[in-house]
Amino acid sequence: MMDFVVENLPRFLGGAWLTIQLAAISCGLGFLLAVPIALARLSRNEVLRGVATSYIFFFRGTPLLAQLFLIYYGSGQFRPALDAVGLWTFFRDPWFCAILSLTLNSAAYASEILRGAIQAIPKGEIEAAEALGLTRLLRLRLIVLPRALRIGWPAYSNEVVYQIQATSLVSIITVLEITGVARTVGSRDFTFFEAFGLAAVLYLILVYGFLYVSRRIEMRLNRHLGTSGPGLATGGLR
Amino acid sequence: MPDLDGFGWLLIDGLKLTLFVAIASMAGALVFGLLAAIGKLFAPRPARILIDTYTTFVRGVPELVLLLIIYYGVPTLVQNVSRDLGVPITLSINPFVAGIGTLTLIYAAFACEVYRAAYAAVPVGQREAAYALGLSRAVTFRKVELPQMMRYALPGLGNVWMVVVKATALISIIQLPELMRNADIAARSTRQPFTFFFAACLLYLAITAISMWGQGRLERWAARGTTESRA
């Protein structure tokens, strides 16, 4: 076991770095996408609300693996059309398809957390901002989003944990993150137990390491309250 | 359901297996999750530490990695160890058993946390009243706390069910002919991947939609005789 770790650790660390990149990029882009989706979901406009609701229903109601296959393999069915508009180079690339499906998936979950958090903001605070004459955009930037971030942070950090774990699926479309490296190394030497065991340990380090940092961020976000502050309880499952 | 070049029935067969695996894993998770929760609440300290380690490990590792450890890892470990000991054993695990086993193992940990939070939500006065009436600890749990716990646990358990349904897709990786695997076969045979993966998505959405409706009914049933608080 020790020999196995010493021999293969560099490759696994390379995989871990790719896992971190995939999770960070898809969470970042997913969050940017989640803001307009959450606002559309709360909008009075029925069309906007309908589009956002369907988007969320589709991406939360189907397995990520199906979404990944739909984008990576499914795009092949439209190759001529994608070729014509010059997008085929993107859809042919597993890394791009991985990022795209992880981002779209993350956006659906993040937007629901954001919506819940926005709805949990005390009404008076938003009315106060209106009374001060802040425009819609300023209200959003200065009051609503920072407030929602504080309320939704614990739930969102759970979401990030799932995103770190969800990246393991992209090993199936040949992206060599932690699980991808484990599959390659394991099948080469028939050392599956050692390979997947080491992968599990690396995920544990990433997940609980992130949760530790996230708690620190939570305390910082709520430092004006003198306690860790009220969070949106989720039960820890998406 | 359109015929889909004759592959529509393959998807329906896959859907049946998906539902079967999901129901079996959920049943396992409900039972073992409750046992783990009771252990965490009442068992002596060493057992509690053991259960804590299990939930911490399972919740921190991706489902796919756990599935691969159980399906590929455990048999190779047994074979390598037995070969070194001079009594070679050949072991392989049926994908069906590995799949249901893995999902049960994972989601029992999640169900355990749901039950625990639900237990904490039952007012302490209920327990005290039961003790005052002279009920034993075990009877109090079974007759007073457990039924009330279930009402609080339902939304969380409904959530677990939705995740279990989607997690069954992973078992396609170890060749179990459930919905995703059959969609993949149909996609390759017809060279229409988008059509078949999209059809599979619609079937998952159908399960989700029916489950959401069922969950609403179940929650209303469990809350009968109580008044809902309004925020």
Side-chain angles (χ1 to χ4, degrees):
Chain A
M1 186 73 198
M2 218 47 231
D3 293 344
F4 178 87
V5 173
V6 171
E7 189 188 331
N8 294 295
L9 196 61
R11 290 188 71 179
F12 274 88
L13 289 181
W17 176 232
L18 190 51
T19 293
I20 293 170
Q21 285 178 321
L22 288 165
I25 295 172
S26 64
C27 280
L29 294 176
F31 189 81
L32 290 181
L33 200 56
V35 175
I37 295 171
L39 294 177
R41 183 88 166 73
L42 291 166
S43 150
R44 282 196 194 93
N45 184 326
E46 260 174 56
V47 178
L48 277 181
R49 214 166 54 221
V51 171
T53 309
S54 321
Y55 176 90
I56 293 167
F57 182 60
F58 183 84
F59 281 96
R60 299 209 321 164
T62 56
L64 175 60
L65 186 65
Q67 295 157 22
L68 190 64
F69 280 11
L70 199 60
I71 290 171
Y72 183 62
Y73 296 118
S75 58
Q77 199 169 324
F78 307 107
R79 183 172 171 180
L82 290 170
D83 248 338
V85 289
L87 280 175
W88 179 244
T89 12
F90 283 111
F91 283 99
R92 204 181 47 194
D93 179 41
W95 189 87
F96 176 78
C97 290
I99 287 287
L100 183 62
S101 45
L102 286 170
T103 299
L104 294 177
N105 189 270
S106 169
Y109 286 97
S111 70
E112 276 297 89
I113 293 169
L114 201 56
R115 175 184 66 88
I118 290 175
Q119 283 178 325
I121 299 173
K123 219 176 168 185
E125 293 181 28
I126 294 170
E127 285 169 352
E130 278 171 350
L132 286 172
L134 296 183
T135 62
R136 255 188 88 98
L137 209 63
L138 269 180
R139 266 197 327 260
L140 190 68
R141 198 158 61 87
L142 297 176
I143 310 291
V144 176
L145 284 182
R147 220 29 199 104
L149 194 68
R150 288 203 171 99
I151 298 172
W153 182 260
Y156 186 68
S157 68
N158 267 335
E159 174 50 35
V160 175
V161 166
Y162 284 108
Q163 198 68 8
I164 295 171
Q165 301 190 355
T167 55
S168 65
L169 288 187
V170 306
S171 64
I172 292 156
I173 56 168
T174 70
V175 178
L176 289 182
E177 39 60 79
I178 297 175
T179 312
V181 170
R183 286 162 69 114
T184 318
V185 171
S187 53
R188 188 193 58 200
D189 306 328
F190 216 57
T191 48
F192 287 110
F193 190 79
E194 291 86 339
F196 294 130
L198 181 55
V201 171
L202 288 175
Y203 281 109
L204 283 172
I205 294 172
L206 286 184
V207 164
Y208 289 102
F210 168 79
L211 281 178
Y212 175 78
V213 174
S214 153
R215 297 272 143 76
R216 305 298 296 246
I217 294 174
E218 192 184 328
M219 276 191 275
R220 222 185 133 66
L221 284 176
N222 293 308
R223 65 191 181 282
H224 60 290
L225 296 173
T227 62
S228 71
L232 201 72
T234 58
L237 191 72
R238 75 187 199 181
Chain B
M1 180 103 186
D3 188 45
L4 294 175
D5 294 341
F7 282 96
W9 289 110
L10 195 65
L11 291 193
I12 296 296
D13 280 345
L15 178 69
K16 284 183 200 155
L17 195 56
T18 287
L19 280 173
F20 184 82
V21 170
I23 290 169
S25 313
M26 187 66 194
L30 287 177
V31 173
F32 289 106
L34 186 60
L35 291 178
I38 292 172
K40 256 192 184 186
L41 290 167
F42 304 116
R45 207 176 144 76
R48 255 185 359 237
I49 292 172
L50 208 67
I51 299 172
D52 268 332
T53 314
Y54 150 69
T55 51
T56 307
F57 179 80
V58 163
R59 280 153 41 102
V61 177
E63 296 127 326
L64 177 62
V65 175
L66 282 171
L67 180 67
L68 295 172
I69 289 181
I70 290 175
Y71 187 68
Y72 292 110
V74 171
T76 53
L77 180 74
V78 169
Q79 279 165 25
N80 291 348
V81 169
S82 65
R83 191 192 53 223
D84 293 347
L85 294 174
V87 270
I89 301 170
T90 316
L91 176 74
S92 70
I93 302 179
N94 177 303
F96 196 65
V97 174
I100 293 176
T102 309
L103 294 188
T104 296
L105 187 77
I106 296 170
Y107 292 103
F110 284 96
C112 168
E113 299 300 317
V114 173
Y115 285 126
R116 225 160 51 105
Y119 180 82
V122 177
V124 191
Q126 298 280 334
R127 186 180 327 148
E128 287 167 352
Y131 289 161
L133 286 171
L135 300 187
S136 71
R137 213 173 154 183
V139 173
T140 302
F141 180 73
R142 222 176 57 231
K143 295 280 186 186
V144 179
E145 291 171 304
L146 192 61
Q148 302 192 66
M149 225 174 103
M150 283 306 163
R151 178 160 67 92
Y152 296 119
L154 265 181
L157 294 177
N159 204 351
V160 173
W161 163 250
M162 304 278 191
V163 183
V164 167
V165 169
K166 286 180 282 168
T168 57
L170 292 181
I171 313 176
S172 64
I173 304 305
I174 56 170
Q175 323 287 323
L176 187 82
E178 44 62 79
L179 185 48
M180 272 311 284
R181 172 84 185 133
N182 283 3
D184 193 37
I185 293 169
R188 283 169 205 273
S189 314
T190 57
R191 292 170 186 270
Q192 292 180 321
F194 189 88
T195 310
F196 282 96
F197 291 128
F198 192 69
C201 283
L202 292 182
L203 291 174
Y204 283 110
L205 285 178
I207 304 178
T208 307
I210 294 169
S211 305
M212 278 161 68
W213 174 80
Q215 193 186 339
R217 301 239 359 203
L218 213 59
E219 279 174 28
R220 250 171 288 142
W221 172 79
R224 72 200 181 287
T226 63
T227 42
E228 195 179 329
S229 60
R230 293 179 192 282

